[in-house]
Amino acid sequence: MMQGVYLLPTMSTYQPLHGLPTLAGLASFDDAQKPGLSVEQCVGRLKRYHYAFKRLHEIFLSRLIAEPVYELKMAFSLHAHYCAEHTAALRQRVGEMREPPLGLDIGPDPALEVFFDEILAAPTTEELLLGIYAHALPVLGAALEKHRAETNPLADAPSMRLIKFALLEIEEMDDYGSQAIAGFGAAIGARKAAIGAWLDVLDAALAAAGGLDGTVEKSGKAVVRQYSATPFSYDKIPRRDERFPDPYNMGVNAEVFLYDPLMPPEPKVLMMFYKRLREIDVPEMMASIIVETKGKPWGYYRDMTRQLWDEARHAMMGEAGFVSLGVDWRKVMVNFTWSLVLNTQLTAKERHGVLYFIEQGLMPKTGKRFEWETAQAAHNELSALFQDYDWADEVLHARVGRDWYVSQFENPKEAVDWGDRAWSKALIGWRQWKDEGLTEHRNWWPDVYLDWCRVQGIEPDEKVLAYHETYEAKRADLRTISASA
């Protein structure tokens, strides 16, 4: 360097000051200089990822209700939530890239539509799992990886960030799916030839679409629909697996017990874990609202699916609670009567009204706060923790209700009253189900309570043991049932 003159280093030796990471840590200078995808190419791919996540969201919710396996109901709830979130993020990103109108409600390729239609219409759980977890998610993940490898990491940094988070959750879903498919290995093996022929249809549809991202040459071959040749009609009758032997049972009114001041707090924890586990029926009911409600902004589907996932999470809190107590939850007769009646007797708007009405009943001191205080009084740390988060979730759900349900009415009172009337319209088939031999409404509480007492090493309280209030005459909000078939 000459005196008084500073010579810049050549670009081949250029380094940031103090040896700091280049370009905010996003990329090296070499990577930042590669050509990458144009905005048009990037948007074309993003729209296909968006379509894939949106269709997967639809598939998870459309198949959740009639899927009998409890664990799959819970996984579908979570994975639908993931897909709703990534759909929202991709919609926003496309809107940032000179794209209005977005055109995101139009399928990007007819063959890709067939691909997802076939998975939606899969006739058994085995095909459904293979379609989602062995085909759709892996090819979506591969497309995102390809985008990450081919785009400019500096110019397209916002897309890179969305892809990074999407790949994390796709990997998680893939891991779950691999284990689920392994669990159904025997059933899949027994129908290997038929399932294999159908998987060939999926591969042919992808080839005709030019791959999920549309970046490979299209096969030019017509795709022949198999399962989706008949338009899919989702089944909104809830089904349960063999661990739910008496799903019509309404023989134990948990709320009457919980709010009885003469009952001690400790066994109320057991009843609250039952109430949490029983929330399986909320995703079963909410899925039908979301599937049947068309034409809303994506924020509606995102928020409602978040609530659906929260309710599934609450059910798993109940499951974990029974495990923590050393009590077999399979002895608790977890029914599906609420989701069954609402799904089959009310409109989607009426179901949403019932949901919002119930949420409002959980806001006062006699609602979620009371359950949290009861868990604290029982000195059960896990129950107190679960109820603390359950309470927080319900505050969020009340906001979702205000945004997407109450907004359809003149005022909140009208919305609440309408939901109350909708619930009163639903006919509980208490006597009918018993007369048809579907249930005896057996009081299962004494057996479960005695098991808990044995694990606790305590003598049963005769008053608690004798509890026998049913749902024949009272709803879960303790209102008198106006009609019982």
Side-chain angles (χ1 to χ4, degrees):
M1 182 173 68
M2 297 175 59
Q3 186 175 5
V5 178
Y6 178 75
L7 297 179
L8 289 171
T10 64
M11 289 300 99
S12 62
T13 61
Y14 175 73
Q15 293 292 328
L17 192 62
H18 302 307
L20 293 172
T22 60
L23 304 173
L26 289 174
S28 69
F29 286 114
D30 287 341
D31 287 338
Q33 294 175 66
K34 70 180 185 180
L37 305 175
S38 68
V39 168
E40 183 179 3
Q41 290 170 325
C42 179
V43 168
R45 296 191 190 191
L46 292 177
K47 285 185 174 182
R48 284 179 169 243
Y49 312 149
H50 169 274
Y51 180 74
F53 276 120
K54 184 179 177 182
R55 290 303 308 271
L56 284 167
H57 172 265
E58 174 196 11
I59 291 166
F60 282 127
L61 295 188
S62 296
R63 298 299 297 263
L64 183 156
I65 304 171
E67 172 53 54
V69 178
Y70 158 71
E71 285 81 2
L72 291 180
K73 286 182 190 287
M74 301 297 99
F76 289 179
S77 300
L78 173 59
H79 296 171
H81 165 59
Y82 286 167
C83 290
E85 292 290 319
H86 295 304
T87 300
L90 286 161
R91 292 180 77 89
Q92 179 175 331
R93 177 58 178 151
V94 170
E96 296 168 353
M97 303 180 76
R98 307 195 301 262
E99 275 300 304
L102 303 183
L104 290 173
D105 296 322
I106 303 171
D109 190 283
L112 203 57
E113 183 176 347
V114 173
F115 176 79
F116 286 106
D117 285 351
E118 284 290 314
I119 297 173
L120 175 64
T124 71
T125 298
E126 294 81 54
E127 278 107 335
L128 181 63
L129 294 177
L130 288 167
I132 294 171
Y133 296 109
H135 279 68
L137 282 169
V139 298
L140 176 55
L144 292 171
E145 290 281 13
K146 186 177 181 181
H147 188 127
R148 186 158 66 173
E150 294 182 354
T151 200
N152 184 290
L154 181 60
D156 196 19
S159 301
M160 290 282 281
R161 181 172 180 268
L162 299 187
I163 289 170
K164 175 173 62 177
F165 291 122
L167 284 170
L168 286 172
E169 295 189 332
I170 285 177
E171 181 180 5
E172 180 185 320
M173 290 188 279
D174 277 343
D175 287 345
Y176 180 90
S178 296
Q179 295 178 62
I181 289 169
F184 283 81
I188 292 170
R191 300 178 52 243
K192 184 176 181 180
I195 292 176
W198 176 67
L199 296 178
D200 289 342
V201 174
L202 298 186
D203 292 337
L206 279 177
L212 187 138
D213 58 6
T215 61
V216 299
E217 185 177 353
K218 296 183 178 182
S219 68
K221 297 180 180 179
V223 183
V224 179
R225 292 178 180 268
Q226 185 171 328
Y227 297 141
S228 66
T230 300
F232 174 76
S233 177
Y234 90 103
D235 186 352
K236 58 186 176 183
I237 305 297
R239 288 178 174 78
R240 301 281 175 83
D241 62 48
E242 61 271 16
R243 294 167 298 175
F244 300 83
D246 194 1
Y248 291 88
N249 187 307
M250 299 183 71
V252 179
N253 191 312
E255 287 72 28
V256 169
F257 181 90
L258 183 61
Y259 291 110
D260 186 343
L262 300 179
M263 293 294 181
E266 291 79 11
K268 287 183 178 181
V269 168
L270 186 61
M271 196 66 90
M272 286 192 294
F273 284 149
Y274 162 61
K275 279 171 57 65
R276 298 288 76 76
L277 179 57
R278 194 180 62 189
E279 288 187 66
I280 301 166
D281 62 2
V282 186
E284 289 172 336
M285 189 278 286
M286 286 197 69
S288 73
I289 299 176
I290 299 169
V291 169
E292 293 179 24
T293 303
K294 308 296 184 184
K296 295 283 190 179
W298 190 256
Y300 167 87
Y301 302 102
R302 179 186 186 181
D303 286 354
M304 291 289 284
T305 307
R306 164 59 193 273
Q307 181 173 347
L308 180 149
W309 157 236
D310 288 345
E311 306 293 4
R313 202 171 90 252
H314 298 166
M316 290 187 286
M317 288 177 182
E319 179 189 15
F322 277 107
V323 172
S324 74
L325 296 178
V327 176
D328 187 351
W329 67 262
R330 293 170 295 183
K331 295 184 178 181
V332 177
M333 297 300 105
V334 181
N335 61 56
F336 59 22
T337 54
W338 187 72
S339 55
L340 173 68
V341 168
L342 267 61
N343 284 3
T344 57
Q345 297 183 17
L346 302 183
T347 66
K349 183 179 178 180
E350 287 171 332
R351 283 173 235 145
H352 202 169
V354 173
L355 184 67
Y356 183 73
F357 174 80
I358 291 172
E359 288 163 356
Q360 294 312 293
L362 300 176
M363 291 301 101
K365 290 183 178 180
T366 54
K368 290 300 179 182
R369 182 186 184 94
F370 174 80
E371 294 187 352
W372 173 65
E373 290 173 342
T374 299
Q376 287 189 314
H379 304 292
N380 187 296
E381 292 184 1
L382 184 64
S383 180
L385 180 69
F386 284 169
Q387 292 304 145
D388 201 9
Y389 279 85
D390 183 55
W391 181 11
D393 289 339
E394 293 301 341
V395 174
L396 169 64
H397 301 165
R399 192 274 298 166
V400 172
R402 289 193 299 273
D403 287 352
W404 300 112
Y405 169 71
V406 177
S407 59
Q408 302 174 76
F409 295 86
E410 290 293 328
N411 56 67
K413 184 180 185 304
E414 181 184 342
V416 171
D417 291 345
W418 196 86
D420 187 10
R421 290 194 299 273
W423 196 2
S424 296
K425 284 172 57 178
L427 298 177
I428 300 298
W430 171 277
R431 297 186 189 89
Q432 176 187 340
W433 297 331
K434 187 172 183 178
D435 291 344
E436 292 177 355
L438 296 171
T439 184
E440 290 296 322
H441 298 299
R442 180 179 66 86
N443 181 10
W444 48 263
W445 171 253
D447 293 341
V448 174
Y449 174 62
L450 288 173
D451 279 357
W452 176 76
C453 289
R454 281 191 289 269
V455 172
Q456 297 292 315
I458 61 175
E459 289 296 318
D461 182 320
E462 292 302 321
K463 176 175 76 280
V464 174
L465 184 63
Y467 181 72
H468 62 274
E469 188 74 35
T470 76
Y471 284 103
E472 182 176 11
K474 289 186 183 295
R475 300 189 321 204
D477 62 347
L478 306 186
R479 297 275 189 101
T480 300
I481 292 176
S482 59
S484 181

